[in-house]
Amino acid sequence: MNDTPDRPRTRWGVFTQPDFRLLWTGETVSGLGNGITAVALPLIAVELLDVSSTAVGLLAGAVWLPWLLVGLPVGAWVDRMHKRPLMITCDLVAVAALVSVPLAAWLDALTFQHLVVVATICGTAAVCFNTAYHSYIRIVLDGRDLLEGNAKLQGSEATTRVAGPGVAGLLAQTLGAVTALVADAVTFLISAVCLKRISVVEPDRAPDEERVPLRRQIMEGLRFVGRDRYLRPMVTWGAVINMALMGYQAVQVVFLVRTVGLNPGMVGLLLTSGSTGGIAGALVATRVSRRFGTARGLLLLQIATAPFVLLLPMTTAGPGLLLFAMGAFVVGIGVSVANVVVGSFRQTYCPPDMLGRVVATAMMINHSTIPIGSVLGGVLGDTVGYRQAMWIMTGVVALSWLILAMSPMRHERDLPQAHEPGEAHARSC
C-alpha cells in the first residue's frame, strides 16, 4: 500500500495524487472503450453482415462468456501476481483484437466468426483487468483515501456506462461502425500508457502466501456464498436479473433498428438517455438506505422500479421513444441502488480474509447467466419476433424482486453489519 505522509485535505481530494489520477484515467478510458465495444460490434454485425438476432445474441454473449469460463480462477490468480503489468497487457490485447476488425473489413475478409473471437478476447481481457484494478487501488492509495478513491472509480464506471453507447452510436453514424472500432482501440491504448506511467511499486508477496492450492481457495469462496442466508438470495437475484437484462439488451439494438426504424446515432442516443438512471441511482442510494434501511430500502425500490421495464417493448417511433427512455431510466435507478447496497454489504459483512474470494464468486455467478440471457434473447427474437422477445425478457425483470422478497431481508430494516462465525455453515449441516 502507498504509505504517504498525511496531507491537508483539499477540494480535489485524491485527485491531487498523480498515481491515482493516472489509475482513474486509465480505468475510465478503458471502461469507455468497453462501452463502445458492446454497441459497435452488434452494429457491425447488423449493418455490415446482416446477421439474425440469434447471431447478435451469440455475439453479445461472447463478451460475457469469459466470466463463466475463467472468472473464479482469475479472482484467485490475480491475488498471486503483480497487478499493473497484467492490466497493461489486457489493454494491449484489446487494442490488437479491435484493430483486426477494421483491417479485415477493409480487406473484404470480415466474418461473423471473426467478430465472435474478438468479442471473446475483449471479454477475457475485461475480466482480468476489472479483477486486477479493484485490488490495485489498495496499492495506489493509503487506507484513509480508499473510500474516496473507490467512490471516484465507481462514479467514473457509471458515467462510462452511460457515455459508451452514445459515443459508439455517434461514431458509427459519423465514421461508420467499422471505423468506430479504431477509435475504440485508441481508448485502450491511452489506458495502457496511463498505467505504465504510475510510479508506485507493488510489494512482493511473501514466499508462504502461495502454498494454499488455488482449487482450495476457490472452493472456500463458493461454500461461503452458497451457505450464507443473505448472500445466497442476493447472488441468485443477481444471476436472474442479469440473465433477463441481457436477454432484452441483446435484441434491443435489432428491435430499435428494424422494428422501430432508428438510425445508429439515434440508437446510441436513446440507450444513453435511458442509462442515465444508473448515475441517478448512485446519487440517491445513500439517502434511500438511510430513510428506509438497507434491507427494506433495497426491497422497496426493486418493487417500485422493476415494473417500469415493461415500457420498453411498448416503444414506437416518434413520441413513443420516450417510453423506452423512461423505462430504462427508472430500471437503471433500481439496478444502480442495488449494486451500491449489495456491494457495500459484502464489504462490511464478509470476513476480510474472505472478501476477495466472495466478491469473485458473486461476480462469476452473476455474470455467468449473461451469455445465457444474450443467446436466449436472440433466439426468441428470431422465433417469436423482436417485440415479443422484448416482452418475454422484460417480464422476467419485472418479477425478479420476488427472489429478494422471499429472503430474510423482508423481515428486517437493515442488513447485518458483520458475519457471525459459524452461522451460515451451521445452517447448511
Side-chain angles (χ1 to χ4, degrees):
M1 189 175 293
N2 185 16
D3 296 323
T4 56
D6 287 346
R7 301 171 304 278
R9 307 305 290 171
T10 70
R11 56 181 293 192
W12 298 106
V14 292
F15 281 129
T16 60
Q17 302 182 44
D19 283 337
F20 178 78
R21 288 201 305 270
L22 290 169
L23 175 64
W24 178 86
T25 302
E27 190 278 331
T28 301
V29 175
S30 178
L32 179 64
N34 287 329
I36 295 174
T37 303
V39 175
L41 286 180
L43 281 175
I44 292 173
V46 171
E47 292 199 325
L48 195 63
L49 301 179
D50 194 29
V51 301
S52 65
S53 66
T54 298
V56 174
L58 289 169
L59 185 61
V63 177
W64 297 99
L65 183 62
W67 280 106
L68 176 60
L69 299 180
V70 299
L72 285 178
V74 164
W77 177 56
V78 163
D79 287 337
R80 301 185 174 195
M81 64 184 303
H82 287 166
K83 315 301 185 292
R84 186 174 64 137
L86 174 62
M87 295 163 67
I88 293 174
T89 300
C90 290
D91 280 333
L92 296 179
V93 167
V95 170
L98 292 171
V99 168
S100 72
V101 174
L103 288 177
W106 294 332
L107 295 174
D108 198 24
L110 183 63
T111 64
F112 177 72
Q113 291 78 9
H114 187 158
L115 293 182
V116 171
V117 171
V118 169
T120 305
I121 292 174
C122 290
T124 303
V127 170
C128 298
F129 185 97
N130 291 337
T131 304
Y133 104 81
H134 280 292
S135 299
Y136 189 60
I137 185 176
R138 294 180 176 272
I139 299 171
V140 173
L141 295 178
D142 59 34
R144 70 169 191 159
D145 289 330
L146 275 177
L147 182 60
E148 181 187 351
N150 275 307
K152 294 290 192 299
L153 289 168
Q154 290 173 2
S156 68
E157 183 179 347
T159 303
T160 56
R161 284 199 301 266
V162 172
V167 172
L170 291 175
L171 288 173
Q173 184 69 22
T174 56
L175 304 176
V178 172
T179 307
L181 281 189
V182 177
D184 188 4
V186 171
T187 65
F188 289 98
L189 188 60
I190 293 173
S191 174
V193 172
C194 290
L195 293 171
K196 181 67 175 177
R197 294 180 58 193
I198 293 178
S199 60
V200 65
V201 178
E202 294 185 53
D204 292 327
R205 296 180 60 83
D208 60 346
E209 288 190 31
E210 297 185 9
R211 292 180 181 176
V212 179
L214 187 66
R215 180 177 298 179
R216 177 180 169 186
Q217 290 182 309
I218 292 173
M219 291 307 299
E220 287 176 349
L222 284 169
R223 283 193 296 267
F224 188 92
V225 172
R227 295 174 177 178
D228 189 87
R229 68 192 190 110
Y230 293 101
L231 293 172
R232 185 174 60 248
M234 287 180 179
V235 170
T236 302
W237 172 77
V240 170
I241 197 170
N242 278 345
M243 183 274 294
L245 288 171
M246 281 306 300
Y248 79 72
Q249 289 175 13
V251 76
Q252 70 181 359
V253 171
V254 189
F255 168 69
L256 293 173
V257 171
R258 294 180 178 172
T259 301
V260 182
L262 304 183
N263 59 44
M266 184 58 70
V267 169
L269 183 62
L270 189 60
L271 296 179
T272 298
S273 63
S275 299
T276 52
I279 296 179
L283 294 175
V284 304
T286 301
R287 295 180 183 178
V288 170
S289 297
R290 289 176 178 172
R291 174 67 177 83
F292 300 102
T294 53
R296 189 178 302 163
L298 172 61
L299 182 56
L300 290 176
L301 201 62
Q302 295 311 304
I303 295 173
T305 60
F308 275 84
V309 75
L310 298 175
L311 294 178
L312 272 61
M314 300 181 187
T315 303
T316 57
L321 298 179
L322 293 176
L323 295 174
F324 191 100
M326 181 182 299
F329 178 80
V330 176
V331 172
I333 292 176
V335 172
S336 180
V337 170
N339 287 338
V340 173
V341 172
V342 172
S344 299
F345 167 69
R346 283 198 303 254
Q347 291 176 346
T348 58
Y349 179 73
C350 299
D353 61 331
M354 288 290 298
L355 180 57
R357 281 168 285 175
V358 168
V359 170
T361 298
M363 291 179 68
M364 186 281 296
I365 296 174
N366 288 344
H367 287 81
S368 67
T369 58
I370 289 179
I372 297 173
S374 298
V375 174
L376 179 59
V379 171
L380 286 173
D382 282 338
T383 55
V384 302
Y386 306 133
R387 193 180 298 274
Q388 289 76 9
M390 293 283 290
W391 275 113
I392 294 171
M393 302 311 298
T394 55
V396 177
V397 175
L399 297 175
S400 61
W401 59 269
L402 289 170
I403 299 174
L404 295 177
M406 292 185 290
S407 73
M409 72 175 60
R410 72 181 184 274
H411 300 302
E412 301 174 5
R413 184 184 188 276
D414 289 293
L415 294 165
Q417 293 295 307
H419 170 75
E420 297 180 10
E423 177 186 2
H425 297 78
R427 284 184 171 82
S428 66
C429 294

